[in-house]
Amino acid sequence: MKKKSLLLLLLGLSLFQLSAKEGMWIPVLLEKYNLEEMQEMGFKLTAQDIYDVNHSSMKDAVVIFGGGCTGELISDEGLLITNHHCGYRQIQSHSTVEHDYLTNGFWAMNRDEELPNERLTVSFLEYMEDVTERVMAETENLEGEAKDKKIKENTDRIVKQAKQEGKFTASVKPLFYGNQYFLYVYKVYKDIRLVGAPPSAIGKFGGDTDNWMWPRHTGDFSLFRIYADENNEPAEYSPDNVPFKPKKSFPVSMKGIQPGDFTMVFGNPGSTMQYWPHQAVDVTMNQRDPDRIMLRDKKLDIIGGDMKSDPKIRIQYAAKYQSISNSWKKWQGEIKGLQRLDAINKKLAYEEIFKSWAQQNGTWESEYKPVFDAFEKDYSKYAKYIKAYDYYREVVYRGVELFGQAQTLNSIINNIENDQNERAEQLRSSMLNRLPGFFKDYNQPTDEELFAALMPVLISDLDASFLPSEVVETIKDFDREKLINKVYQKSVLTDRTKLEDLLKNGTEKQLLKLRKDPIIGMFNKLNFIYETAILPEVRKVNKSIDENMKVYMAGLMEMKKGQAFYPDANLTLRVAYGKVEGYEPNDGVKYKYFTTLTGIMEKDNPAIYDYDVPDKLKELYRNKDFGQYDVNGDVPVCFLASNHTTGGNSGSPVVNGNGELIGVNFDRTWESTMSDIMYDPEYCRNISLDIRYALFIIDKFAGAGYLLNEMSIVK
């Protein structure tokens, strides 16, 4: 009896005991696993209203925005809303000191004023399909590399057929660590124009201080428009293109929200790790997150200080700073959440449950014990190599900016040496085209500070086997000023004129001499160690981990047979559902489910860039000039719900039970950031912009109310 009670207790602790609020579900399987529960919670539509390949459905109004956000159509004229932080790089790229759209906002008052964005795309999912049998065809008697090769051949064939000679893009992605495979086929539009963005004091209100926090008062939205050719098909930018006509756009609800209301987030969550073994959680919580936080502390201190000193530098580094700080703060919350949940011990407890199940089925010794033994061995090795990997990624590849330029030149040199002249020319041309953008957003003194702060940490913290001795000798015990002079002052990479001339007119012999350039030479030595001693070992141990995870996942799927069971996120279309609700993060603290314009005024501080409320917004508040957006003498701004979200869900539509847009998802609470690894229904909340605040800003603040005329607004 005691043994049975213990088992039930452990089961109750299990992270796999799914609540109605947990999960990122595959749209094509909703009817089978989720629809009944969704309807009990207040959803009034059908599974086909969400996803249907034969008729228009919500999936036709949702896009992958850029490389890693979600956006949604809110008009039949191609108007799209996403987060301000998703469109931040585009807003920043159009900004100058003279036309500071980051600070002042941007609003096109007609179609001719909308701004094109080079390389920005949106991708519509045409369809998804389970192709597991096709991927695994003729692999029954194969193992190892032979099996991998056959899977790749099958996958390549499926993708090639799905692309229809370039009409679509396509990919096959594994689910449940390769126990299932889905094909995703997209139509990609390339002419995307900026329509509107509030000033950062609205769109990024609260800045990094409020990021991941509640209560939140951020008007995190921006507007873009998709353009197409005369046949409504994708086309490169052209003045002759016309607004795209979508199959479906979301009606916009002015009806508001109440606690307990059904909510659904429909978007493209990026990456979760719900089924990790305890060793993976241990390495992440106690090594990887602390290492990366420490390195980003240094980067943020330097860049942030320079941004405060000069408006030009603030614009140059705004998007870079945001990119660095977002994960930096998320990892801090992740550590705190995993510690509070006692995550490692919960994982161990669940692994014991799995072991008991496997023993009862007579499969523990033969199938699963070798897997768990391998985890112990692999993660011990993984911890060593992933530390070096993280340091190189944060310092060499995402820290010192000139190393990025050196990386391209290093590739050009390598191709010349290997007689790959055509490829070398392509790289020369590409780098030449990118140079104006690079130097527009580059400040050499800032980069010098980053170099001087980060390189000594790299060589002091890593084992000597992960470091080139020549670089160690250059950095170690070197006077800072002499080091900067030796590296930066003597490098061609700091001289735009010389660099452009070399790329345009330089002979192969002149380019090969760049091996002696101090920055290129240093990068080459570091990159050699990374590519020969670090990356191959990380890939090798990851491959072993993934192979064993596939076996473990197959066991979990068997143990959970017949139950709703969702795969980890992989930047493909998913549904998460929950309800509007607040939460209680700490003893004596109880958070409401919404915030209002009054809270913005309470935070107003003209001395702080991120809290300097625009005068126009203060005037609207003083005069109570809220128009149709007035709710009890205030304007709603943000709200909380219990939808399971992650990166990639930024910009996702939040809809009510009628499928009407009530908000735009933009964040999670700090107590929720561990939900990528372990979900807690008591604490995990997603933060959304109330769509009524977006309409208020567009209409009353920006004076761009004409945009509302093309929306279907439900009152």
Side-chain angles (χ1 to χ4, degrees):
M1 189 69 179
K2 286 184 178 179
K3 189 179 276 190
K4 184 177 180 182
S5 298
L6 177 60
L7 186 62
L8 289 171
L9 175 62
L10 292 173
L11 192 59
L13 293 172
S14 167
L15 68 160
F16 298 114
Q17 186 179 10
L18 302 181
S19 74
K21 304 187 252 336
E22 179 177 356
M24 300 174 182
W25 304 96
I26 301 173
V28 293
L29 301 177
L30 288 176
E31 190 152 26
K32 182 177 180 180
Y33 292 118
N34 310 97
L35 186 62
E36 183 178 349
E37 182 179 50
M38 291 170 69
Q39 290 175 336
E40 288 173 357
M41 294 175 66
F43 185 62
K44 296 178 174 63
L45 304 177
T46 68
Q48 287 70 38
D49 290 318
I50 298 173
Y51 179 93
D52 195 325
V53 295
N54 298 314
H55 304 92
S56 64
S57 61
M58 289 185 204
K59 71 112 174 146
D60 298 310
V62 178
V63 300
I64 296 178
F65 181 86
C69 278
T70 300
E72 57 270 14
L73 276 296
I74 54 172
S75 89
D76 293 332
E77 298 176 56
L79 189 65
L80 175 152
I81 190 167
T82 187
N83 288 153
H84 185 271
H85 75 259
C86 292
Y88 200 72
R89 192 167 293 279
Q90 283 71 42
I91 302 164
Q92 185 264 343
S93 70
H94 291 296
S95 296
T96 61
V97 173
E98 295 75 25
H99 299 286
D100 187 354
Y101 298 138
L102 287 176
T103 298
N104 303 317
F106 169 81
W107 303 97
M109 291 303 168
N110 55 61
R111 302 278 166 87
D112 292 337
E113 292 182 359
E114 295 173 358
L115 301 176
N117 299 279
E118 191 177 359
R119 293 191 295 275
L120 176 62
T121 63
V122 301
S123 303
F124 287 88
L125 180 69
E126 289 288 302
Y127 65 92
M128 62 175 70
E129 179 185 349
D130 188 335
V131 292
T132 308
E133 288 188 10
R134 292 165 63 189
V135 169
M136 301 305 295
E138 300 178 24
T139 63
E140 296 85 355
N141 300 316
L142 300 178
E143 300 212 355
E145 290 185 11
K147 187 173 184 177
D148 292 342
K149 182 180 178 183
K150 187 62 181 176
I151 289 173
K152 186 177 185 306
E153 286 176 3
N154 292 340
T155 299
D156 290 346
R157 188 182 308 112
I158 294 167
V159 168
K160 184 179 180 181
Q161 291 172 351
K163 285 182 176 179
Q164 295 186 23
E165 298 183 343
K167 183 178 180 181
F168 304 111
T169 63
S171 63
V172 171
K173 293 196 175 185
L175 303 179
F176 299 113
Y177 288 87
N179 284 286
Q180 193 173 22
Y181 290 87
F182 263 71
L183 167 68
Y184 300 88
V185 179
Y186 298 92
K187 185 177 282 189
V188 180
Y189 286 79
K190 302 177 181 179
D191 186 353
I192 318 299
R193 305 182 196 179
L194 178 63
V195 175
S200 289
I202 292 175
K204 201 173 178 288
F205 183 78
D208 293 297
T209 304
D210 282 6
N211 191 22
W212 301 105
M213 307 302 285
W214 186 261
R216 200 68 174 276
H217 299 86
T218 310
D220 197 346
F221 78 97
S222 54
L223 299 174
F224 291 80
R225 194 181 304 278
I226 307 168
Y227 280 76
D229 67 14
E230 58 184 6
N231 298 314
N232 210 39
E233 293 296 320
E236 298 290 343
Y237 168 79
S238 168
D240 297 327
N241 288 344
V242 294
F244 168 69
K245 301 292 183 185
K247 297 176 187 176
K248 169 80 175 176
S249 62
F250 284 102
V252 178
S253 174
M254 285 277 290
K255 294 184 289 188
I257 55 171
Q258 296 297 326
D261 282 356
F262 174 85
T263 57
M264 185 182 87
V265 173
F266 200 22
N268 300 279
S271 181
T272 58
M273 300 74 66
Q274 297 293 319
Y275 307 106
W276 267 359
H278 75 274
Q279 297 95 335
V281 179
D282 191 356
V283 172
T284 297
M285 186 170 72
N286 295 313
Q287 177 184 302
R288 296 198 71 191
D289 283 357
D291 282 352
R292 292 178 293 184
I293 290 166
M294 177 272 294
L295 291 167
R296 292 196 177 196
D297 274 336
K298 297 181 183 299
K299 289 191 272 190
L300 291 170
D301 284 347
I302 292 165
I303 294 172
D306 286 359
M307 287 173 69
K308 289 177 183 176
S309 71
D310 188 328
K312 182 181 178 183
I313 299 173
R314 176 178 54 76
I315 293 170
Q316 288 176 317
Y317 282 81
K320 301 170 191 175
Y321 188 94
Q322 177 182 278
S323 177
I324 295 166
S325 67
N326 194 49
S327 294
W328 164 80
K329 192 167 185 179
K330 183 244 183 184
W331 292 325
Q332 294 175 63
E334 185 170 82
I335 293 171
K336 186 176 180 181
L338 291 172
Q339 289 173 338
R340 178 178 53 77
L341 285 173
D342 194 18
I344 294 173
N345 283 325
K346 276 193 172 71
K347 287 285 188 179
L348 282 164
Y350 193 77
E351 288 161 18
E352 283 298 315
I353 293 170
F354 179 81
K355 179 180 178 180
S356 296
W357 169 83
Q359 286 173 332
Q360 289 172 15
N361 284 274
T363 53
W364 173 252
E365 291 292 335
S366 60
E367 291 186 39
Y368 300 115
K369 186 177 184 299
V371 166
F372 282 82
D373 289 344
F375 283 154
E376 200 64 37
K377 179 182 176 183
D378 283 343
Y379 276 104
S380 176
K381 185 177 182 183
Y382 175 80
K384 173 185 175 183
Y385 286 100
I386 205 66
K387 184 178 187 71
Y389 174 89
D390 285 338
Y391 270 70
Y392 268 72
R393 299 303 295 177
E394 292 294 331
V395 174
V396 180
Y397 299 103
R398 296 174 184 167
V400 179
E401 285 194 87
L402 280 191
F403 279 154
Q405 299 295 87
Q407 186 172 18
T408 305
L409 279 166
N410 191 55
S411 296
I412 292 170
I413 294 167
N414 288 340
N415 278 284
I416 292 172
E417 289 174 340
N418 294 320
D419 295 324
Q420 301 291 325
N421 296 324
E422 184 178 345
R423 178 60 181 154
E425 284 302 313
Q426 289 173 348
L427 289 169
R428 283 175 75 164
S429 176
S430 175
M431 185 174 183
L432 194 59
N433 291 334
R434 293 199 311 271
L435 275 187
F438 174 80
F439 279 103
K440 172 182 175 290
D441 293 331
Y442 177 72
N443 182 56
Q444 186 175 322
T446 301
D447 204 37
E448 291 174 355
E449 289 294 329
L450 289 168
F451 180 89
L454 295 173
M455 289 302 293
V457 179
L458 181 79
I459 67 166
S460 66
D461 287 11
L462 293 187
D463 186 86
S465 62
F466 297 130
L467 297 165
S469 57
E470 303 96 317
V471 173
V472 173
E473 290 304 313
T474 300
I475 303 297
K476 193 176 180 182
D477 300 326
F478 217 100
D479 175 81
R480 182 194 174 285
E481 291 304 317
K482 288 181 180 178
L483 177 62
I484 294 298
N485 288 335
K486 181 176 181 179
V487 176
Y488 276 76
Q489 304 307 321
K490 295 181 180 180
S491 175
V492 70
L493 296 184
T494 61
D495 190 323
R496 178 177 174 179
T497 303
K498 284 184 181 179
L499 184 55
E500 283 184 337
D501 184 57
L502 259 175
L503 290 169
K504 282 181 183 176
N505 309 310
T507 65
E508 289 186 357
K509 186 176 180 180
Q510 287 173 314
L511 287 167
L512 289 172
K513 283 184 178 178
L514 289 175
R515 278 278 187 236
K516 297 180 180 179
D517 183 279
I519 293 176
I520 297 170
M522 184 176 291
F523 173 82
N524 184 44
K525 293 178 178 66
L526 289 163
N527 188 61
F528 178 78
I529 293 287
Y530 177 78
E531 291 191 344
T532 59
I534 299 170
L535 190 58
E537 293 298 327
V538 169
R539 286 173 174 166
K540 186 177 174 183
V541 72
N542 269 329
K543 188 172 187 296
S544 178
I545 289 169
D546 287 346
E547 287 171 351
N548 285 292
M549 277 300 300
K550 182 177 180 178
V551 178
Y552 179 36
M553 281 305 309
L556 287 173
M557 293 167 77
E558 180 65 25
M559 188 174 81
K560 293 285 184 180
K561 199 169 185 177
Q563 300 179 40
F565 199 57
Y566 67 93
D568 275 322
N570 60 353
L571 198 63
T572 59
L573 199 60
R574 300 290 181 90
V575 169
Y577 55 94
K579 62 183 179 180
V580 174
E581 58 181 323
Y583 72 115
E584 300 180 24
N586 299 302
D587 182 42
V589 178
K590 185 175 183 178
Y591 284 136
K592 292 193 301 186
Y593 67 92
F594 70 96
T595 58
T596 65
L597 188 57
T598 295
I600 293 174
M601 299 306 154
E602 290 171 350
K603 288 181 176 179
D604 178 34
N605 187 341
I608 302 174
Y609 180 80
D610 290 325
Y611 292 99
D612 185 8
V613 178
D615 291 338
K616 176 69 178 291
L617 191 59
K618 286 191 273 195
E619 180 186 344
L620 290 168
Y621 181 76
R622 276 196 308 270
N623 297 331
K624 301 298 179 185
D625 186 7
F626 303 150
Q628 62 180 323
Y629 314 102
D630 187 307
V631 178
N632 300 321
D634 218 327
V635 179
V637 175
C638 298
F639 67 91
L640 290 174
S642 51
N643 301 100
H644 193 175
T645 62
T646 187
N649 276 126
S650 290
S652 292
V654 186
V655 301
N656 60 19
N658 297 315
E660 300 157 350
L661 189 70
I662 56 173
V664 182
N665 183 78
F666 71 89
D667 208 351
R668 285 171 284 169
T669 59
W670 206 42
E671 295 85 3
S672 304
T673 55
M674 79 297 178
S675 65
D676 290 346
I677 298 169
M678 186 175 288
Y679 187 87
D680 182 352
E682 295 302 314
Y683 284 80
C684 290
R685 299 289 181 269
N686 64 304
I687 306 174
S688 300
L689 169 73
D690 193 306
I691 196 63
R692 293 171 293 178
Y693 185 56
L695 297 178
F696 169 75
I697 294 298
I698 295 167
D699 186 4
K700 303 292 290 185
F701 176 84
Y706 79 95
L707 291 168
L708 275 64
N709 296 333
E710 61 184 273
M711 303 177 198
S712 174
I713 296 178
V714 182
K715 297 183 181 179

